Amino acid sequence: MALDQSFVGRTYPPTPAYEVGREKIREFAEAVGDTHPAYVDREAARALGHADVIAPPTFVFSITYRAAGVVVQDSQLGLDYSRVVHGDQKFSYVRPVRAGDRLTVTSTIESIKSLAGNDVLDIRGDVHDEAGELVVTAVTKLVARAAEEA
């Protein structure tokens, strides 16, 4: 059964603030194999004009993914998560994520499409800092595979 189109545009409440730590950034950079010095060395980050270490571009996924989970778990939406695969991910940055940032994410359902019996859901996560400034927008595409006919 196709997802309800009336959910397009629905916005969910912001997440609690997530404080970005230097060690989390270092662990993430190490996990993805990114050795850029600005991710682990404050002086290297300062030489590039940042007050502290910055996070690799995909770091913010760990925050936006949790926020998208609120959408996925919305029982009124009716998404069968057991059939969901991650289809795509896009980030649009205003500025890098920095150690010490306290970030919140507000999720909005951008689109719902039905393709060959599959539901394709785009969830936009707007990430704001403590001052309310937009830091990055992430768009997560989820594909709920069609149920197999018996």
Side-chain angles (χ1 to χ4, degrees), residues 2-16:
L3 294 176
D4 186 345
Q5 289 289 320
S6 71
F7 278 76
V8 173
R10 181 174 285 196
T11 297
Y12 293 78
T15 62

Side-chain angles (χ1 to χ4, degrees), residues 12-64:
Y12 293 78
T15 62
Y18 174 90
E19 187 164 346
V20 179
R22 269 189 222 103
E23 187 63 13
K24 288 289 185 187
I25 292 172
R26 186 198 60 74
E27 290 171 347
F28 187 89
E30 184 177 282
V32 299
D34 195 330
T35 60
H36 195 288
Y39 303 150
V40 296
D41 180 350
R42 188 183 302 168
E43 292 310 314
R46 284 183 177 158
L48 295 172
H50 304 288
D52 207 329
V53 296
I54 59 172
T58 55
F59 176 87
V60 77
F61 178 76
S62 60
I63 305 166
T64 59

